[in-house]
Every structure is written in C-alpha cells, then in structure tokens.
Amino acid sequence: MFVKQIWVDNYLRNFNYLVACPETGEALAIDPSDHETCINLAKKNNWKIKYIFNTHEHYDHISGNEKIIKKTGAKIIASKYSSDKITNIYRGVDEGDIIKIGTQVEFECLNTPGHTLNHMSLLSRTGLPILFSGDTLFNAGAGNCSNGGDPNRLFETFENQLESIHEDTLVYPGHDYMISNLEFTLEIEPDNKTAAVMLDKHRYQDPKDPFVTSLKIEKNINVFFRLDKLPIISKVIEKFPEIGNQPDRRIIFIKLRELRDQW
C-alpha cells in the first residue's frame, strides 16, 4: 500500500491523501480539496484515481470532488447518511463496510460521529495499520463540534471506537494541528514530559513532511485519551467547579472540548 500525505497550504492546514495499490495502480483520494496536487501526484506515480472518499461533508473536505471526477472519472464513496450533504455519492457506506482498492488495499469503514453526526473514518486491513481519522482525531487533539457536531457523540467515538484500535496504528488526520494541540496539552497537563519533548522537537517541522503519531503515542500526549489522569481532572474541576469533585469521564471529555474551543 502506497500512502501520500498532501499538506494543503491554506489557513485551515488541511491534509489530503492518496492511497494506491502497488500492483494495479488504482488509487483512493481521501478528502481531496487540493484537487490539482492530487491529480498531478497520481499522474507522476502512474496511479489512476478510481475513488474519492469523503470523511464528512464540510466544504474543505469535499470541494475538490467534482474537479477530480471531471479529470479522472473517479466515483465518490461516503457515509450512506450523507447523501443530502454530499452530491453524486456512488456508494454509501456504513459501519463495518469494506472498501477495496485494486488487489492489495482494503479498508474497514468506521462510524466516528462527533465532529459531524455522519463522520466516517477508514481503518486499513492490509499493509501498514493506518487510521485515516478525518476531523475526529487529530495528532494530540480531537475535532471541534461547532459545525453540526455533538461532543457527547465524540466522547462515545473515543470511548467505543478509538480506544479499541491497536496501539501500533498510525494516525493520519484531516488537518495539521499538532503543535497547537501539544501546547493545549501542556496548558492542561504541564508535567506531561512526552508532550513537552515532542513540542520542542517538532515545533518547526516542515508540514509537508510531518511527524506521524500512533495511537500509542496519542494515549501519552492527547488529553482526550487521558480522562483518568489526576492532573487533568483537577484542572477541569478548577475551571468548572460546578461539576463537583467526582466528575465522570464523559463530563471531563466535554469540558476539555469546551476549554479547547475557548483556548
């Protein structure tokens, strides 16, 4: 499985992806807003973009669809519940559905709502263990819920989906927010040495060649996975004393998301 991560030099710092079968050259474009770069990179590698996968309906993730379709004839795959928000869906998928690219690439579809209610992620079932997490899980962070989402659903996605994925799985998100997310981690958990070292090492990294985390790393640096850590609980109680002295994990998660929104 060939994977190309494409950093979009825009104010939202989007990532696009091309995933190709090494035998057939058939490729999947994930959230290809920078359609020109996706098309040119596919041509350079002698790949044919056969499918587009949209993790969700926000414009910065679907804006390149029609131009890629016009140039390549690719077909759109997205959540079966997004047909009123994403036009020209060829295949609507649901939890557990399989997407095959060529002969050697296979993905499992995961329902990962929260950032939006119909958000989906892709988990590789061949080659490297990879999660294309869209705007659900970022490096050291979690998606906001301000544009059609629900923090309760995002909490459930983290608890019931992401927590159970193998820790060796690499995380490829929809945006490059790692540095600001690490800064937020250290605001909430200032003694997190792993986050501090990572921030110091990667603060000035080239976004075209970024450090790729794994779920194991995320569980050490991402406060949304660290809901049972006493410094985090104490910080949340300090900020929101009305929640009492024994808030459950859901409350901690939701209040962390609220703090991140305000930060």
Side-chain angles (χ1 to χ4, degrees), residues 39-247:
I39 291 168
N40 291 336
L41 188 58
K43 286 182 178 178
K44 179 180 178 180
N45 287 279
N46 295 315
W47 298 339
K48 176 176 174 54
I49 301 176
K50 187 172 182 180
Y51 298 110
I52 295 165
F53 183 83
N54 293 138
T55 58
H56 63 292
E57 70 271 16
H58 287 161
Y59 182 77
D60 58 308
H61 292 257
I62 68 172
S63 59
N65 286 3
E66 295 307 317
K67 291 181 180 178
I68 288 184
I69 290 170
K70 185 176 180 180
K71 289 284 188 178
T72 69
K75 294 178 170 30
I76 297 172
I77 302 174
S79 167
K80 65 186 292 186
Y81 306 106
S82 293
S83 59
D84 61 332
K85 299 180 178 69
I86 301 174
T87 59
N88 297 322
I89 294 177
Y90 166 76
R91 180 185 173 195
V93 290
D94 204 348
E95 175 77 21
D97 286 348
I98 301 298
I99 297 172
K100 295 182 179 180
I101 309 299
T103 58
Q104 298 185 18
V105 179
E106 192 170 295
F107 291 103
E108 179 182 352
C109 299
L110 305 180
N111 283 330
T112 51
H115 176 67
T116 66
L117 298 184
N118 296 323
H119 192 291
M120 300 201 77
S121 301
L122 291 180
L123 182 63
S124 65
R125 291 304 187 195
T126 53
L128 286 172
I130 293 174
L131 177 69
F132 292 99
S133 57
D135 288 7
T136 291
L137 170 64
F138 296 130
N139 300 132
N144 71 64
C145 304
S146 304
N147 297 287
D150 180 345
N152 280 286
R153 299 292 299 279
L154 189 61
F155 166 75
E156 290 162 5
T157 289
F158 268 68
E159 290 284 284
N160 302 327
Q161 289 273 36
L162 302 183
E163 282 282 0
S164 63
I165 297 173
H166 197 280
E167 290 188 340
D168 290 341
T169 303
L170 301 177
V171 177
Y172 283 96
H175 296 266
D176 171 33
Y177 295 155
M178 187 175 76
I179 301 307
S180 60
N181 285 336
L182 286 170
E183 290 172 341
F184 178 70
T185 292
L186 292 170
E187 174 73 17
I188 300 299
E189 192 182 9
D191 293 332
N192 189 318
K193 294 180 181 179
T194 304
V197 169
M198 280 189 60
L199 180 60
D200 183 61
K201 183 176 181 179
H202 300 292
R203 182 184 292 277
Y204 302 109
Q205 70 178 359
D206 182 353
K208 295 180 180 179
D209 185 27
F211 178 70
V212 177
T213 66
S214 65
L215 281 171
K216 182 176 182 179
I217 293 171
E218 289 297 321
K219 290 176 181 180
N220 285 312
I221 63 171
N222 190 327
V223 295
F224 294 96
F225 281 116
R226 298 171 61 77
L227 307 178
D228 58 348
K229 303 302 179 183
L230 289 179
I232 294 175
I233 295 170
S234 297
K235 177 65 75 170
V236 172
I237 292 172
E238 174 190 327
K239 295 290 186 179
F240 302 98
E242 69 275 10
I243 67 177
N245 293 324
Q246 294 183 313

